[in-house]
């Protein structure tokens, strides 16, 4: 039975057999299925990927799956059930080598000890790229991804981290090394100090256009800088207990972020050593200050502005797409809207009665829109193209005028 294939070559029953026959530069494909793997050492520069027939699941059954000792690409694979105690519960990256992970999933793994319950980059390891990938439903010990190499920068692009609990540290622990994270999401995360990232290593780290939602730390800051420079921009912190913590003034610089409120973040959310100059805000608007009873109206949510606390300005770039909840004190409004490129619209159906004030609220942010409702039952509405001819024109059927 052939499950693993060398591109342009033969098929093999096991990955170990295919790997033994492969040469550096080869691509090894797998048929759809679940494969039990235990501590395979990869010392050739190869690519391992799924073919197009379906999901390829690599099951460690409580063991580390790969010990990487070459420059390797992993593409469209799912990793589950890694070691509960090893450094690198699923993948160990050795000194002198780089790793690229594309379109892959790491899930359903439980660790009680060890460093880097998903990935461990050893001293001397080179750069790691994680793109279009997901880490989900994992209980980690000393960080999900633990970096011990000053030669290693993690580039994380359009990747999601969801439902992760870390008993010590957080998603990323940079004893050495650093990160550039772009367009990535961190949802339902709990951890210790630096529940998303803790920095001891390199300077010039970046989180850009990321979403942090329902993230809690048991100590200081979901992003924690121990004297290392970190730039955080165009990112969303919603339902976060403590966002940014710098141990000194040479720490985090935050610009154009949204902290779940239109007010400047307090020192619990962003500590005093963190530079937080400008922050993004939310506003609501309607077509008019007075709306009419029983009518449908468009409400606009604007997420394209920032403030320095004194004035409001247009953002130089857009925030990530994000869903806001809407409520109205009377009438009916769309319960949620998703912002794309800084704007979203919702429909509001006004109540069938006159009201002095109705308030629509957007959460998170607490932004409010207030307006009056005018009763149209006592109005005669006219229009040059109206269809009503008996002099009792309504909003739906205006009286015809000359």
């Amino acid at each position: 039975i052939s499950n693993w294939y060398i591109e342009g070559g033969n098929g093999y029953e096991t990955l170990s057999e295919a790997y033994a026959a492969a040469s550096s530069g080869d691509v090894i494909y797998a048929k759809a299925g679940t494969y039990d793997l235990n501590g395979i050492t990869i010392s050739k520069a190869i690519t391992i990927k799924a073919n197009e027939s379906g999901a390829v699941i690599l099951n460690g059954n409580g063991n580390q799956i790969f010990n990487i000792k070459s420059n390797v690409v992993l593409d469209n694979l799912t990793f589950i059930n890694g070691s509960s105690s090893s450094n690198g519960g699923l993948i160990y990256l050795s000194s002198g080598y780089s790793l690229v992970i594309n379109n892959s999933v790491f899930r359903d793994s439980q660790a009680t000890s060890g460093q880097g319950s998903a990935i461990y980059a050893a001293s001397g390891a080179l750069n790691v790229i994680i793109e279009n990938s997901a880490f989900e439903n994992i209980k980690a010990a000393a960080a999900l991804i633990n970096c011990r190499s000053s030669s290693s920068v993690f580039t994380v692009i359009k990747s999601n981290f969801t439902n992760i609990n870390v008993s010590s540290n957080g998603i990323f622990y940079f004893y050495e090394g650093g990160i550039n994270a772009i367009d990535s999401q961190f949802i339902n995360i709990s951890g210790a100090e630096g529940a998303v990232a803790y920095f001891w290593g390199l300077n010039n780290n970046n989180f850009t256009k990321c979403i942090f939602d329902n993230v809690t730390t048991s100590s200081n800051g979901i992003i924690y800088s121990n004297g290392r420079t970190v730039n955080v921009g165009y990112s969303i912190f919603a339902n976060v207990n403590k966002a940014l913590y710098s141990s000194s003034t040479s720490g985090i610089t935050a610009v154009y972020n949204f902290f779940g409120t239109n007010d400047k973040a307090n020192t619990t959310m962003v500590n005093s050593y963190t530079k937080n100059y400008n922050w993004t805000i939310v506003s609501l608007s309607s077509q008019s200050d007075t709306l009419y009873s029983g009518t449908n109206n468009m409400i606009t949510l604007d997420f394209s502005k920032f403030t320095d606390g004194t004035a409001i300005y247009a953002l130089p770039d857009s925030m990530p797409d994000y869903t806001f909840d809407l409520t109205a004190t009377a009438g009916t409004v769309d319960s949620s809207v998703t912002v794309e490129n800084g704007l979203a619209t919702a429909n509001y159906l006004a109540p069938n009665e006159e009201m002095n004030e109705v308030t629509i609220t957007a959460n998170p942010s607490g932004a409010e829109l207030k307006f009056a409702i005018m009763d149209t039952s006592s109005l005669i509405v006219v229009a040059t193209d109206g269809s009503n001819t008996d002099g009792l024109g309504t909003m739906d059927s205006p009286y015809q005028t000359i």
Side-chain angles (χ1 to χ4, degrees):
I1 300 174
S2 295
N3 297 313
W4 300 83
Y5 298 84
I6 298 175
E7 187 175 50
N10 297 324
Y12 302 87
E13 183 175 358
T14 68
L15 174 57
S16 294
E17 292 171 342
Y19 173 74
S23 301
S24 289
D26 280 345
V27 177
I28 298 177
Y29 290 92
K31 289 198 310 186
T34 299
Y35 301 94
D36 295 334
L37 300 180
N38 181 357
I40 294 178
T41 297
I42 302 175
S43 55
K44 302 172 186 177
I46 60 172
T47 295
I48 302 174
K49 64 187 300 184
N51 65 13
E52 297 179 356
S53 62
V56 172
I57 300 173
L58 308 182
N59 189 346
N61 287 311
N63 300 293
Q64 186 180 86
I65 293 178
F66 288 141
N67 185 343
I68 295 177
K69 296 185 176 181
S70 189
N71 299 322
V72 171
V73 176
L74 305 173
D75 191 3
N76 200 21
L77 304 172
T78 297
F79 298 81
I80 65 172
N81 296 331
S83 170
S84 63
S85 58
S86 298
N87 289 348
L90 291 163
I91 294 175
Y92 185 102
L93 179 62
S94 297
S95 175
Y97 304 108
S98 63
L99 174 63
V100 176
I101 298 170
N102 292 323
N103 310 306
S104 294
V105 176
F106 295 74
R107 61 174 174 82
D108 303 332
S109 199
Q110 304 286 318
T112 55
S113 62
Q115 299 175 351
S117 299
I119 300 171
Y120 182 88
S123 177
L126 303 181
N127 292 335
V128 177
I129 297 173
I130 301 172
E131 186 166 5
N132 292 320
S133 294
F135 295 74
E136 54 196 32
N137 302 323
I138 297 175
K139 186 180 186 304
L144 182 75
I145 298 172
N146 197 308
C147 180
R148 297 282 164 156
S149 174
S150 60
S151 304
S152 181
V153 173
F154 279 71
T155 299
V156 180
I157 304 170
K158 294 183 178 179
S159 294
N160 296 332
F161 300 79
T162 309
N163 298 330
I164 296 173
N165 174 268
V166 187
S167 58
S168 177
N169 309 127
I171 304 294
F172 295 95
Y173 182 79
F174 292 101
Y175 184 79
E176 298 286 356
I179 190 171
N180 290 306
I182 306 165
D183 290 326
S184 294
Q185 298 187 13
F186 302 83
I187 312 294
N188 297 335
I189 310 295
S190 62
E193 201 161 56
V196 169
Y198 189 107
F199 295 98
W200 278 95
L202 298 176
N203 288 310
N204 299 319
N205 302 282
N206 297 280
F207 284 92
T208 307
K209 296 192 176 185
C210 292
I211 295 175
F212 308 89
D213 200 339
N214 194 27
V215 183
T216 59
T217 171
S218 60
S219 187
N220 294 315
I222 67 168
I223 298 176
Y224 185 105
S225 168
N226 198 331
R228 301 299 183 265
T229 57
V230 184
N231 301 302
V232 182
Y234 297 98
S235 293
I236 296 171
F237 295 82
N239 307 304
V240 171
N241 64 336
K242 300 175 183 179
L244 307 176
Y245 188 92
S246 303
S247 65
S248 68
T249 54
S250 58
I252 301 171
T253 299
V255 184
Y256 308 134
N257 299 290
F258 175 68
F259 292 100
T261 174
N262 281 353
D263 297 326
K264 186 173 185 177
N266 61 34
T267 53
T268 299
M269 185 66 64
V270 177
N271 82 318
S272 58
Y273 281 140
T274 297
K275 303 177 183 69
N276 183 26
Y277 298 120
N278 304 312
W279 59 97
T280 302
I281 58 174
V282 176
S283 64
L284 295 169
S285 62
S286 63
Q287 297 153 297
S288 171
D289 291 336
T290 300
L291 305 183
Y292 297 101
S293 61
T295 61
N296 287 294
N297 302 271
M298 185 175 71
I299 305 299
T300 299
L301 188 150
D302 189 333
F303 198 39
S304 66
K305 303 292 193 300
F306 76 92
T307 183
D308 58 4
T310 62
I312 295 174
Y313 312 89
L315 282 169
D317 200 352
S318 61
M319 297 291 288
D321 294 350
Y322 188 73
T323 299
F324 289 85
D325 296 329
L326 299 178
T327 58
T329 55
T332 304
V333 67
D334 291 340
S335 60
S336 63
V337 292
T338 299
V339 173
E340 297 180 2
N341 296 317
L343 293 173
T345 58
N347 183 70
Y348 172 69
L349 175 61
N352 291 315
E353 59 181 315
E354 186 169 322
M355 304 190 75
N356 290 331
E357 184 177 271
V358 172
T359 303
I360 293 177
T361 305
N363 285 305
S365 78
E368 292 184 342
L369 173 66
K370 298 179 183 293
F371 48 84
I373 302 295
M374 180 178 290
D375 184 5
T376 59
S377 62
S378 60
L379 296 179
I380 297 177
V381 183
V382 299
T384 56
D385 58 351
S387 58
N388 188 290
T389 57
D390 62 9
L392 299 175
T394 65
M395 296 294 291
D396 293 329
S397 178
Y399 176 65
Q400 186 181 65
T401 60
I402 298 174

